[in-house]
Structures are given as structure tokens and as C-alpha cells.
Amino acid sequence: MSENEKTKGQLLYEQLRYQKKSGFELMPKDELDGAMDYAKGYMAYLDEAKTEREAVTAAIALLDKAGFSEYRVGDKLEKGGNYYCNNRGKALIVFRVGTEDINTGIRISAAHCDAPRLDLKQHPLFEETGFGYLKTHYYGGVRKYQWATIPLALHGVVTLADGTTKDVRIGDEPGDPVFVITDLLPHLAKDQNQKPLGTAFPAETLNVMIAASPYREEDGTVTPSEDKVKLTVLSILNEKYGMTEADFVSAELCAVPAANAVDIGLDRWLIGSYGHDDRVCLYPALTAMIDNKDTAHSLMCILADKEEIGSEGVSGMQCRIFTDIIDEMASQLGGNANVIRANSICVSADVTAAYDPNYSDVFEKRNSAIVSSGVALSKYTGSGGKSSTNDASAEFVGRIRRIFDGASVVWQTAELGKVDQGGGGTVAKYIAKCNIDTVDIGVPVLSMHAPFEVVSKIDVYAAYKGFSAFYKAD
Ligand code: MN
Ligand code: MN
């Protein structure tokens, strides 16, 4: 036997074992180039889409360009038509009515367009010792200390007393001022340093500094009015948006990080940005849909709001607009909604935690998603003993596996950290509840929910390829 010949056992081992490989090993050069290139479009989308409303607006711009038409519940549907239903500017259901029998079901992807942030309270404005501040109420799971001493922008809408709604976006254009939440200096942090991280930064200290000067009369003298700094803020907002202090009551304003998406690393394979969760799945799911708008079967790409707070509310995944649209498809196209749902399949397009070598003790490495090893399939999410999870069946995971392998998608599996370390959920369970097989597929993220999250361009592209294969699949 020559030295190069392998033994039966060696060959058997190669045949039988599972070995995870990175995208750098698996992707041919043109695909790696494609991944680098695809990231540019994604990064441009990130800069446009910091809130759920902006994510919807930016998605509609892409859809309009691709020839999709706006659909309102009740509108006439046609076979072969490509539509989007704008749910109050905060969520979006994009769908294609395929050319085949609607009863064969719909290929659905469901991402979310909201991200953790600091919402303004309804009476946010106050002044203290020469500073104007905005009170905030955090939205979603934030680690509060991460939001201090970073540049913040103010985004959202305000509905004025007369009913008109104005878009607000300050802090992201070149030359814009930004805002900040201050933090203690180390010299005086002795007491704070003794506190557990979860309690050292009380939510009520997350006050955004918005101004630092008293209102001055036309002759330059400080106003004799009360609340001088507050008046400075109100006068500027009034001039810019026509709003008064009472209009904060009917506003949805939030503080988000003021920075744009950037390459990370000398080799530029990572992207740092606010809001990867879940734009990093939303954008691949959406663009894959745009690139597959001639399929025989029907497709749907959902951009749900409110995932970070339980998918509640009229723009959340639990809102019945999702099934209402399926009902409309059934009644208009001669189908049966129950049959359509039974034959539909869904990928819940949401991020998972990437293994972080800096915090290896919270992960179980064999079952963690590794950055640049592809888009991750999570059979289950939840916490504790798989509490509150959609746990996809072996058969359905097998189906997705065949689809991905058939299209040479670089993919891996993921479990969110060690058992009993924590956990999380997605919209998967709300879709599964409608009798639709659903599994979580998404991009691994480092520093998830931080103001500056990190993903790999390999994984973003793998997600695009994965969703594309899913839409095309029989
Ligand atoms: Mn998410
Ligand atoms: Mn999240």
C-alpha cells in the first residue's frame, strides 16, 4: 500500500462525518467577488433604513424600480402580478401571484424591519441646569450602557394638531448636529462601578441631550421667559417642522445611532452598522424576491414591525393582515385559503448570535453559528427547555437542506448560545400557528442589538443565495 492511499476507515470517515467549512473555503472566486459587490447595495440600504418606517420606504423604492405595484386589501389581483401591501408605512407584505394554481401554496419569507432603539416619551422635553433633554423609553432588548457617549440621530414622524404628518431626520446628513447621552467620568464612578451591569444604568438616565443654550431675544439678550433652553428647542422644532410641545404626544420619534454602515477589518470582509438585526435578513429576502419575480408559484416576503417587542400591534406579525391577504388571494384566484396555507412553506428570516471568541463561555461551539460559515438554520429558538419556540420538523428541515445543498448555498446550523444561558424568539411561531411549516434562517451577528453590530459579507450573500433558492424551489 502506497503512502498516499487512504485506508477504508479513513475513506469511511470522510464519507460519514460532517465538517463545517467557511465560505472562504467553499465559495469560488467569482462568488466571493459577488459577495463583496452585493454588500455595497446592502450597506446603502442600511444608511437609508434606520427605523421601521424608513426600512419600508427604502424597500418600496426598490420595489417600484423593479415594477411591483401597490396593492390595498380588496384590490383586484392577477396571475403573474407582483405586488406590495404597505401596512401603515411601518410594515410591508410583498407578494407575487404565481402562474400556477394558488392552492399549491406560497413560498414565504418573513423578516422584521424594527430594531432596538430609544423611543421618545410622549412628554419628552425638559431642561436642567442649562441643558435641554429628551426623555426616552427604550424599545426592544438594549444593553443600556451601550447607548451613552455615542452620537445619536433623531428619526421618526410627528403628526401635528391639524393632522399633517412630518418626517423628522436629524443627525445623519453631513453637517447635521447629533445628540448624546452623557456618562460618568471614571474618576467619579466608584459607586456605579460596584453595581451589576443590569442596574448600573437605570432607564430613566437615558436622557438625550438636545440643546445647551437659552433662547435669546432678537437683540441677542437672554429671554426673560421661563424654561429658556426648552424654548430654544421648541423654537427650532417649530421653525423646522411647524410643531409645538403638544405635538410630541402624537409623534413617533426615536434616537438611533448617527453613524453609517462601514467596512470592518483591513481585508474588509465584515460590515459594522446599526440595525443589522434584521435588515441583514430583510434585504437579502427582499432582493432575492425582486430577482425571482417570474416564478410559477406564488411568493411572499414579509417585513414585519414590532418583532423586538413581541410582534404585537397592527403592524406586527400577529396582525391578521397577513392571513387577510392569503384570503384575498384565495377568493380572487379560485383557491381555498386553508389549502393554500397548508401547502405554504416559510423561512423566518431573522438573525442569530454569532460565536464570539471574546465571550466563548456563553456559547456551545459545536452548535453555534460561526461568522463567514454561511447563512444559519435554527431548527428551534426559545429559551430554557425550548420554551416558546417553533421547532421545525425533521422533514421540513430536510426539505430546506435539500434546497440549499441543491443550489450550493453555504449554510450552517445555529443554536443561540449555551442551554440555559438565555435565549430569544422570532416571528416563526406566529406563522407556524397558521398551519404553515416554518423554520428560522438568518445571518449570524456579533454584538447583536448593540448600536454597532457586525456581520460578514459572506453570510449576507449566502442569505441572498439561500432565500433565492427557497423562492425557486418546487
Ligand atoms: Mn431579529
Ligand atoms: Mn432582535
Side-chain angles (χ1 to χ4, degrees):
M1 199 166 91
S2 83
E3 241 177 88
N4 294 334
E5 241 172 83
K6 289 177 177 163
T7 66
K8 187 182 167 201
Q10 281 174 315
L11 290 169
L12 194 62
Y13 178 68
E14 280 173 18
Q15 199 187 330
L16 298 184
R17 71 166 170 180
Y18 167 80
Q19 194 188 21
K20 188 184 282 195
K21 286 186 175 166
S22 87
F24 294 110
E25 294 167 279
L26 293 170
M27 287 182 175
K29 187 184 177 299
D30 61 334
E31 200 177 331
L32 288 169
D33 293 344
M36 249 321 168
D37 206 45
Y38 181 77
K40 291 177 193 154
Y42 171 51
M43 290 166 79
Y45 180 82
L46 280 170
D47 294 347
E48 288 298 306
K50 292 202 175 173
T51 64
E52 77 286 7
R53 289 174 188 270
E54 292 170 1
V56 166
T57 304
I60 289 175
L62 295 173
L63 291 163
D64 282 338
K65 215 171 128 192
F68 283 68
S69 343
E70 178 158 20
Y71 168 84
R72 287 183 186 80
V73 176
D75 283 357
K76 197 170 166 345
L77 292 168
E78 277 170 20
K79 278 200 170 189
N82 293 306
Y83 305 96
Y84 60 83
C85 180
N86 181 350
N87 183 1
R88 298 166 173 84
K90 291 162 69 79
L92 197 67
I93 296 185
V94 186
F95 60 104
R96 162 172 176 77
V97 179
T99 46
E100 68 184 19
D101 182 3
I102 188 69
N103 278 340
T104 55
I106 309 168
R107 308 290 178 275
I108 303 165
S109 66
H112 66 91
C113 55
D114 59 324
R117 60 188 190 232
L118 302 179
D119 281 344
L120 298 196
K121 292 191 184 189
Q122 286 195 285
H123 293 291
L125 185 59
F126 72 100
E127 79 171 84
E128 182 64 59
T129 325
F131 298 118
Y133 290 105
L134 297 169
K135 295 292 300 175
T136 64
H137 190 141
Y138 67 95
Y139 173 96
V142 302
R143 308 194 74 197
K144 300 181 189 78
Y145 69 92
Q146 294 177 336
W147 292 76
T149 67
I150 61 166
L152 296 170
L154 204 58
H155 286 227
V157 297
V158 52
T159 298
L160 306 180
D162 67 3
T164 57
T165 298
K166 297 277 174 79
D167 287 320
V168 174
R169 194 181 162 105
I170 315 170
D172 278 302
E173 298 308 318
D176 271 7
V178 298
F179 313 103
V180 74
I181 294 167
T182 53
D183 193 10
L184 266 183
L185 58 169
H187 317 65
L188 294 176
K190 190 164 75 64
D191 291 346
Q192 190 193 43
N193 286 347
Q194 302 310 313
K195 292 179 187 166
L197 201 52
T199 57
F201 297 84
E204 293 295 352
T205 63
L206 297 178
N207 300 317
V208 178
M209 188 187 285
I210 186 169
S213 71
Y215 182 84
R216 284 175 298 149
E217 303 290 346
E218 276 176 354
D219 64 3
T221 58
V222 171
T223 183
S225 155
E226 287 177 57
D227 297 333
K228 297 172 174 51
V229 184
K230 206 169 142 173
L231 184 57
T232 298
V233 176
L234 289 172
S235 67
I236 294 169
L237 292 178
N238 184 261
E239 196 180 314
K240 227 169 144 60
Y241 305 108
M243 68 182 284
T244 68
E245 188 174 11
D247 295 328
F248 277 117
V249 168
S250 46
E252 283 183 326
L253 296 169
C254 62
V256 292
N260 280 342
V262 288
D263 286 342
I264 292 184
L266 292 173
D267 51 1
R268 297 177 178 269
W269 273 106
L270 303 176
I271 307 170
S273 175
Y274 167 67
H276 280 312
D277 177 8
D278 187 32
R279 285 131 182 79
V280 75
C281 299
L282 181 167
Y283 183 81
L286 181 73
T287 50
M289 170 119 187
I290 287 172
D291 295 342
N292 285 286
K293 59 181 191 320
D294 52 2
T295 53
H297 41 250
S298 298
L299 307 178
M300 187 179 276
C301 172
I302 301 167
L303 280 55
D305 183 28
K306 300 278 189 277
E307 190 277 341
E308 297 294 358
I309 56 167
S311 300
E312 312 283 351
V314 78
S315 52
M317 192 63 236
Q318 295 194 68
C319 171
R320 57 176 281 175
I321 188 170
F322 160 60
T323 46
D324 283 353
I325 288 178
I326 295 179
D327 288 350
E328 282 295 319
M329 287 165 119
S331 69
Q332 293 198 39
L333 301 158
N336 173 327
N338 295 335
V339 175
I340 296 173
R341 282 186 276 106
N343 288 331
S344 294
I345 52 174
C346 174
V347 289
S348 161
D350 206 346
V351 300
T352 188
Y355 177 81
D356 188 338
N358 251 354
Y359 296 98
S360 57
D361 53 334
V362 302
F363 292 94
E364 190 269 285
K365 198 172 182 182
R366 282 182 190 80
N367 286 286
S368 295
I370 306 293
V371 165
S372 293
S373 288
V375 66
L377 178 152
S378 301
K379 185 175 180 293
Y380 47 84
T381 58
S383 60
K386 295 195 177 180
S387 175
S388 208
T389 178
N390 161 65
D391 191 348
S393 70
E395 293 86 346
F396 186 53
V397 172
R399 186 169 172 186
I400 296 295
R401 184 181 158 198
R402 286 194 300 283
I403 291 172
F404 281 5
D405 287 342
S408 301
V409 174
V410 179
W411 70 282
Q412 57 183 325
T413 63
E415 180 160 341
L416 200 146
K418 275 183 180 165
V419 181
D420 281 345
Q421 183 69 43
T426 66
V427 299
K429 59 182 177 180
Y430 305 113
I431 297 160
K433 220 165 135 175
C434 303
N435 192 27
I436 298 171
D437 269 310
T438 305
V439 66
D440 281 291
I441 306 279
V443 172
V445 177
L446 289 164
S447 310
M448 195 200 293
H449 282 207
F452 191 70
E453 303 172 311
V454 179
V455 299
S456 157
K457 293 179 185 178
I458 297 254
D459 300 333
V460 182
Y461 192 61
Y464 167 77
K465 270 194 75 175
F467 295 135
S468 206
F470 171 76
Y471 291 141
K472 279 185 208 153
D474 291 331

